[in-house]
Amino acid sequence: MSEPSVEQLRAQLRERGYLSHGIERWFALDPFAFGTASRTFWVELLTVALKAAVLIAAFAALPMTAVMLLRNYPLHAFETFGLFAVYAAAWLGVAFVFVVVIALILKLRPELAVDTPRALLAISMAAATGLTGILALWWYRFDAPFTTPELAAGFGLTLIFFVVATLVVSAALLSFSIYELHRIPAIHQKPRGLPMSIAAAVLLGLLFVPAWAAREGNVTTPMVVTTPTTRRLALVAVDGLTHELFQSRPELVRTFVSAHPAPPVDGESTAERWASVGTGVRTEAHRVRAIAGVRFAGGRHILQRLSRSDVILQDVAPLLGIVRREPLPPTVRRRDYVWEIFARYGIPSVAVNWWTSEDQSAIFNEARGNALQVDAIAVRRAEAALAGSPRFLTVYLPALDVILNRLELDRSAQLAMSVRALDGVASTVAMLRARGYDVLLTGLPGEGQQGHAIIAATLPLAVPATPYDVAPTIAGLMGFPLSTEMPGKSLAGTPADARIVSYGNRTQTTPASTANEEYYENLRSLGYIR
């Protein structure tokens, strides 16, 4: 039986709808015509690549838009369309270049000819896997873990994208089977939806299961041996309090047995630096970073949950004026503060106003942009919590940093308000001492502020000291072992026993919160958002 001619094969493909997509016009050209750089070849190749890219872009933008909708609900129809349009436009460029490059590689390297339908399918699925890998990386780079509805929607739409991308890429390779094997590849002879879907599910699992394991893993509670203690300890954290400012207040200095200067903590944001102090681990472990959302031009909602690999919304779209970046308060933390660890093991603990904690937005909203009121409300809440006799208590006081470094105040107003803030710190320490607590005072230079950090305590502390020593010191005093993730040491002379590897991921039962407009505006009025 004679082999079918190219014209017969073209007729068969026409019956399957390829003529309407313009594909047969490209592969019908002389495969060796590339060397002459014929205008016809380039017009046909670029036309087919553009049409293929349109199809890939549309199906690639769907899972990304769905994930963003579920993470940033609610959004208006205008904002939803904007998301889809921005992602589709970016994918159009990526897919266009991708298809052209594959076609040119196979044209320039005839020894790479596809000699079996199985090889065509393998190459097509490998190319689709590469495109899907971009989606997987984008999805993996969200700070907060995905929810079950998001997983179902994103996985299903990504599966469809994989199948579509496989078909589109395989169509670009038809010329090799047509001209060299004189047959239409099996992938285009009969339906392949079921086997391709099964293969796609397996490959997607290989892409997404590691991401799921990285987010949901480490849930096993580590073996922790604690040393019984009856100590009652309080940590007062003062943003903007440097060692130099501390020394200028003799009544504050006299309260403490030891006080040492320390280098400041590295970090792009206030929340990042204080998360390092409270958890005792570096940024790469606790993952609190300076973050920003985006708002579409003319849109009402801020998209607060973005992938860290989303260069489209975070870099390209702002340059084009499609969106504008909006700084945001961090809401995701991957490690517990040490007092959260205490509470997990049955030690009564209270924390007030710390970054990424649930009560901070309520305190900031109640203060209505008044820095001194933020401190006053936080102290009142801490004092009220003492009725429950917690073994550990901590309060974060940000007013000094806001007054000295964030608000535009004249010098006299700044001096008067900073004195009031320092008086509040002194009275808070005195109140805790009167209730029978040992007090550890920690201060960090505020935004752009010069000076050393300060670590002071009503009990002896070793030197030299760094802010990374605060959490290990607290853990040691409360009878808890340190972890190998903590670069610091205990300053209180507690035994240097073997450390555990890690206390594991943060034990949170609720998803990361979204900053409401009131909280956002109060952060702006306090100078945290500009």
Side-chain angles (χ1 to χ4, degrees):
M1 182 176 178
S2 61
E3 292 182 341
S5 67
V6 171
E7 287 302 321
Q8 290 174 322
L9 295 173
R10 290 173 62 189
Q12 293 178 31
L13 288 172
R14 246 187 235 107
E15 294 173 0
R16 292 173 172 83
Y18 286 105
L19 177 62
S20 62
H21 295 288
I23 293 175
E24 62 91 23
R25 291 181 299 162
W26 172 59
F27 67 64
L29 296 172
D30 182 358
F32 302 105
F34 175 75
T36 64
S38 70
R39 179 177 179 275
T40 304
F41 170 81
W42 281 105
V43 170
E44 297 296 341
L45 172 59
L46 297 180
T47 299
V48 171
L50 180 60
K51 292 181 177 180
V54 169
L55 193 61
I56 290 175
F59 282 89
L62 283 174
M64 299 178 76
T65 304
V67 168
M68 289 294 290
L69 281 174
L70 290 169
R71 285 183 176 264
N72 295 279
Y73 179 84
L75 293 178
H76 288 165
F78 161 73
E79 294 162 332
T80 303
F81 176 77
L83 274 176
F84 179 83
V86 168
Y87 286 135
W91 272 102
L92 181 66
V94 171
F96 178 79
V97 173
F98 187 76
V99 172
V100 170
V101 168
I102 289 180
L104 292 180
I105 288 175
L106 294 175
K107 280 283 190 178
L108 289 169
R109 302 290 299 276
E111 66 272 17
L112 299 177
V114 181
D115 55 1
T116 65
R118 188 171 299 174
L120 173 64
L121 181 60
I123 292 175
S124 302
M125 293 186 71
T129 300
L131 291 171
T132 308
I134 298 174
L135 278 176
L137 176 64
W138 173 85
W139 201 356
Y140 174 75
R141 292 280 289 167
F142 281 94
D143 285 322
F146 36 65
T147 61
T148 300
E150 178 191 335
L151 179 64
F155 192 90
L157 290 171
T158 304
L159 179 66
I160 295 172
F161 166 71
F162 183 94
V163 174
V164 170
T166 302
L167 289 170
V168 170
V169 173
S170 68
L173 306 181
L174 280 173
S175 60
F176 291 93
S177 290
I178 293 293
Y179 283 96
E180 298 180 18
L181 302 180
H182 288 272
R183 66 170 179 245
I184 297 175
I187 191 175
H188 295 289
Q189 289 180 0
K190 56 186 177 180
R192 290 281 171 169
L194 180 60
M196 286 177 60
S197 297
I198 295 174
V202 173
L203 288 172
L204 287 175
L206 295 176
L207 288 171
F208 288 111
V209 167
W212 177 271
R215 293 179 178 279
E216 301 299 326
N218 202 13
V219 296
T220 302
T221 302
M223 182 67 69
V224 176
V225 178
T226 62
T227 303
T229 175
T230 59
R231 186 184 299 276
R232 302 173 73 192
L233 183 64
L235 169 65
V236 178
V238 186
D239 205 358
L241 179 62
T242 63
H243 180 259
E244 292 75 13
L245 279 174
F246 175 84
Q247 291 292 332
S248 70
R249 304 285 293 188
E251 72 281 6
L252 197 57
V253 174
R254 288 193 295 268
T255 306
F256 296 94
V257 172
S258 55
H260 307 299
V265 178
D266 292 332
E268 296 180 13
S269 68
T270 298
E272 178 181 339
R273 293 188 289 270
W274 282 105
S276 295
V277 173
T279 62
V281 303
R282 298 188 188 278
T283 301
E284 54 267 25
H286 64 64
R287 299 287 184 90
V288 177
R289 299 182 179 91
I291 64 174
V294 297
R295 190 197 301 267
F296 278 94
R300 293 181 54 188
H301 298 94
I302 302 173
L303 279 66
Q304 301 188 26
R305 298 179 185 177
L306 303 176
S307 168
R308 293 192 179 278
S309 294
D310 199 333
V311 296
I312 301 168
L313 284 182
Q314 298 199 66
D315 299 306
V316 178
L319 288 176
L320 298 176
I322 300 171
V323 303
R324 68 175 184 271
R325 291 171 60 88
E326 299 272 0
L328 292 170
T331 56
V332 176
R333 177 164 38 86
R334 297 292 293 275
R335 290 292 183 270
D336 283 321
Y337 289 127
V338 287
W339 47 88
E340 293 172 326
I341 297 172
F342 302 160
R344 195 195 313 171
Y345 289 92
I347 304 298
S349 302
V350 173
V352 179
N353 202 38
W354 276 77
W355 288 97
T356 75
S357 62
E358 295 179 359
D359 68 330
Q360 189 182 67
S361 60
I363 291 174
F364 277 39
N365 291 345
E366 186 178 347
R368 298 187 179 279
N370 186 319
L372 292 173
Q373 276 299 307
V374 173
D375 279 14
I377 294 168
V379 172
R380 286 201 301 270
R381 292 194 176 198
E383 189 171 10
L386 292 177
S389 299
R391 294 265 305 284
F392 179 85
L393 181 141
T394 180
V395 59
Y396 169 75
L397 306 176
L400 193 60
D401 169 46
V402 173
I403 294 166
L404 294 179
N405 307 304
R406 298 182 182 277
L407 299 182
E408 295 184 1
L409 302 170
D410 60 72
R411 294 298 296 173
S412 59
Q414 187 180 69
L415 178 60
M417 293 177 69
S418 61
V419 168
R420 290 177 60 190
L422 288 168
D423 288 342
V425 172
S427 63
T428 300
V429 172
M431 178 267 293
L432 292 168
R433 290 292 291 151
R435 299 294 186 94
Y437 284 84
D438 287 318
V439 177
L440 183 65
L441 176 71
T442 303
L444 297 182
E447 192 75 14
Q449 186 178 1
Q450 300 298 314
H452 294 85
I454 174 66
I455 300 175
T458 56
L459 44 83
L461 295 180
V463 289
T466 76
Y468 283 110
D469 298 329
V470 172
T473 300
I474 295 170
L477 288 171
M478 299 302 293
F480 280 72
L482 313 188
S483 76
T484 56
E485 292 183 317
M486 296 178 175
K489 61 186 181 300
S490 174
L491 302 175
T494 50
D497 296 330
R499 301 188 181 207
I500 64 172
V501 175
S502 171
Y503 278 99
N505 285 340
R506 184 183 180 192
T507 54
Q508 59 178 2
T509 57
T510 57
S513 59
T514 300
N516 58 43
E517 286 295 327
E518 185 180 10
Y519 182 35
Y520 186 83
E521 290 304 321
N522 281 313
L523 288 171
R524 186 188 297 278
S525 65
L526 291 169
Y528 287 103
I529 293 175
R530 296 182 175 87

